[in-house]
Amino acid sequence: MAWDFSTEPEFQEKLDWIQQFCEERVGPLHHVFPHAVRLPDPAVRAYVRDLQQDVKDQGLWALFLDEELGGPGFGQLKLALVNEILGRYPAAPQLFGAAAPDTGNMEILAAYGTDEQKKRWLEPLLNQEMFSAYSMTEPQGGSDPRLFETVAVRDGDEWVINGEKWFTSAGRVADLLFVMCTNGIFIVPRTTEGVEIMPEPRNHNHIIYRDVRIPADHLLGPEDGAHVLAQRRLGGGRIHHAMRTIAQCTMAFDMMCERALSRRSHGAIIAEHQMVQEKIAESYAKLRMLRLLVLETAWKIDQTSAQDCRTDIAVVKFTMSRVLREISFDSLQIHGSLGTTDLTPLQDMYAAAPTMGLADGADEVHKVTVARRVLRNYEPHEGNFPREFLPYKKEEAWKKMEPIFEANPELAEAAERWKAYREKRR
Ligand SMILES: Cc1cc2nc3c(=O)[nH]c(=O)nc-3n(C[C@H](O)[C@H](O)[C@H](O)COP(=O)(O)OP(=O)(O)OC[C@H]3O[C@@H](n4cnc5c(N)ncnc54)[C@H](O)[C@@H]3O)c2cc1C
């Protein structure tokens, strides 16, 4: 009976190490040096490198990569357990070499890159000597890739890219832009002539690619393989976000409970008011459901593949943003005026909910995917009434039981008596 929710003791030791490391080293780093990994200051860089070495010594670097792609090969379930710790500490993904958008880019580079491409780009990305961004969404259409227009045209030994991209996260500070064209994914060094980054938005960049020339070997994977590579990239990303979202929801929930036990109003601590208790109970249930859903999906991916789990991943995708929105909102409400300030992480968490509902695809699109895929397992019923129509069920039941009644007249008589009795009661 393989139905086991326990964690192996050896792996639990790793999780305990991560928990302690994050609490004692990673958390404080974020508050003193936000974005430490990107800071040019040599003293900060050296300190960050020391911390990262500790992570490497534990065999915990770049955990998202499978063994065959050069990572530790933890698989998604173990990664989920790790990420539900890391997700509480903004600096943690980068200190563990597992931060988006680099992770997704590294994953497709590891899976589809040539040896030469891996040497040139994967190694420096893994070592954080380079950073990357993913340039897919376009100003005229995000949810529907059929509206994308950016294209690369072959010219001798080069590709020439023309197009416009929108919301390329961290594009401005990336060394490499993974550009999704209608005819493939191309790796474009940011400083290539013709790459023009608009002043706004600041963090998620609007980029014009105007006659951008790159060598022929900057095509990643097959020509016309953009869709396949993008699916692979985004499938992993969505579940990793969800794992970290569990951590955010847990934090909002912990804060809710602590506050509810700490304040008084109308003659009682607020945890004693039923409407507060309802928020706590509902939030607890939502958190548990989200966690189980994400862990089960991670487990399923390990048994099959992300491609086989597209429905589950899409469910996870839209559920995480809803649960984050609801729990962070209730926690904020229980914190009263304090919750509305930027003196706690709650405002950021609540603001992150709509972000989670759009990044990696609008939730609505994922709901459409789920409904379509789920409906494939069903057929319409014949006639005017559903198969569960009770008069049909009764008729079928009597037919099915006929041979039993023939063999057992006493049971048949009892059935007739019951039938008569029930009809009389109508
Ligand atoms: C924080 C963040 C980071 C991001 N990072 C990146 C990045 O690094 N690289 C990148 O390329 N992109 C990135 N994106 C963009 C993201 O991929 C898009 O926002 C997403 O695909 C939706 O596209 P859109 O914003 O153009 O919305 P639109 O396509 O304009 O959709 C707007 C709304 O229309 C409705 N809608 C659309 N289609 C349907 C449908 N089929 N059924 C029902 N309703 C529908 C939904 O309400 C949807 O929210 C990021 C987005 C966010 C928020």
Side-chain angles (χ1 to χ4, degrees), residues 77-145:
L77 181 57
K78 284 183 173 162
L79 186 57
L81 295 171
V82 173
N83 264 332
E84 74 170 330
I85 302 173
L86 302 191
R88 204 161 171 140
Y89 304 89
Q94 285 193 319
L95 282 172
F96 281 72
D102 288 311
T103 40
N105 294 336
M106 285 192 264
E107 193 182 333
I108 50 175
L109 195 46
Y112 295 95
T114 61
D115 288 345
E116 160 62 19
Q117 287 174 331
K118 287 184 202 171
K119 190 146 191 50
R120 197 182 327 160
W121 295 311
L122 183 57
E123 283 180 25
L125 283 171
L126 270 171
N127 293 327
Q128 292 183 351
E129 289 147 9
M130 276 187 170
F131 292 95
S132 65
Y134 184 60
S135 220
M136 175 189 74
T137 306
E138 302 196 359
Q140 77 283 2
S143 298
D144 185 355

Side-chain angles (χ1 to χ4, degrees), residues 352-366:
T355 296
M356 302 308 286
L358 281 167
D360 293 338
D363 282 354
E364 287 91 336
V365 176
H366 290 278

Side-chain angles (χ1 to χ4, degrees), residues 343-385:
L343 298 174
T344 78
L346 288 169
Q347 278 283 336
D348 277 352
M349 283 182 205
Y350 186 51
T355 296
M356 302 308 286
L358 281 167
D360 293 338
D363 282 354
E364 287 91 336
V365 176
H366 290 278
K367 288 180 181 172
V368 170
T369 304
V370 170
R372 279 205 189 123
R373 293 175 68 88
V374 167
L375 284 171
R376 280 183 207 154
N377 302 321
Y378 292 87
E379 284 174 4
H381 64 72
E382 285 171 14
N384 289 332
F385 300 107

Side-chain angles (χ1 to χ4, degrees), residues 149-385:
E149 292 167 2
T150 302
V151 67
V153 175
R154 188 69 185 252
D155 182 19
D157 288 343
E158 292 179 324
W159 290 98
V160 184
I161 299 179
N162 274 289
E164 193 173 344
K165 294 288 180 181
W166 168 252
F167 243 73
T168 299
S169 299
R172 176 185 305 285
V173 290
D175 300 286
L176 300 173
L177 300 161
F178 284 60
V179 184
M180 182 179 179
C181 294
T182 52
N183 54 334
I185 289 192
F186 296 82
I187 300 177
V188 178
R190 181 183 44 89
T191 49
T192 313
E193 208 180 323
V195 175
E196 194 184 338
I197 300 186
M198 302 285 104
E200 297 292 341
R202 284 297 295 169
N203 299 329
H204 305 282
N205 303 120
H206 183 181
I207 306 179
I208 314 286
Y209 296 87
R210 193 174 287 119
D211 289 331
V212 174
R213 286 183 171 270
I214 44 165
D217 64 2
H218 285 38
L219 167 67
L220 178 59
E223 202 178 334
D224 293 324
H227 184 70
V228 175
L229 267 70
Q231 276 310 326
R232 163 115 193 202
R233 189 191 180 284
L234 295 171
R238 285 171 190 137
I239 182 100
H240 299 162
H241 275 316
M243 296 165 182
R244 291 189 288 266
T245 301
I246 299 173
Q248 291 288 298
C249 293
T250 307
M251 192 176 184
F253 181 73
D254 290 348
M255 290 178 67
M256 179 191 304
C257 294
E258 183 193 72
R259 189 67 174 173
L261 288 171
S262 310
R263 294 281 283 184
R264 291 189 72 81
S265 155
H266 290 83
I269 55 167
I270 57 177
E272 283 165 7
H273 294 300
Q274 283 189 355
M275 273 188 272
V276 172
Q277 290 171 342
E278 196 217 15
K279 288 182 178 60
I280 290 169
E282 287 287 351
S283 297
Y284 183 70
K286 287 171 200 166
L287 179 57
R288 296 300 304 270
M289 286 191 276
L290 175 70
R291 185 171 188 268
L292 279 179
L293 175 67
V294 174
L295 294 184
E296 191 208 30
T297 303
W299 176 82
K300 273 191 186 172
I301 297 173
D302 287 344
Q303 309 304 309
T304 55
S305 69
Q307 183 61 19
D308 288 318
C309 297
R310 279 186 66 190
T311 310
D312 304 83
I313 293 175
V315 174
V316 162
K317 163 70 181 69
F318 63 75
T319 305
M320 70 170 152
S321 50
R322 174 160 48 84
V323 173
L324 179 61
R325 184 180 69 236
E326 291 173 357
I327 296 185
S328 61
F329 180 80
D330 281 350
S331 187
L332 196 154
Q333 183 74 11
I334 285 178
H335 280 75
S337 51
L338 177 63
T340 69
T341 68
D342 59 3
L343 298 174
T344 78
L346 288 169
Q347 278 283 336
D348 277 352
M349 283 182 205
Y350 186 51
T355 296
M356 302 308 286
L358 281 167
D360 293 338
D363 282 354
E364 287 91 336
V365 176
H366 290 278
K367 288 180 181 172
V368 170
T369 304
V370 170
R372 279 205 189 123
R373 293 175 68 88
V374 167
L375 284 171
R376 280 183 207 154
N377 302 321
Y378 292 87
E379 284 174 4
H381 64 72
E382 285 171 14
N384 289 332
F385 300 107

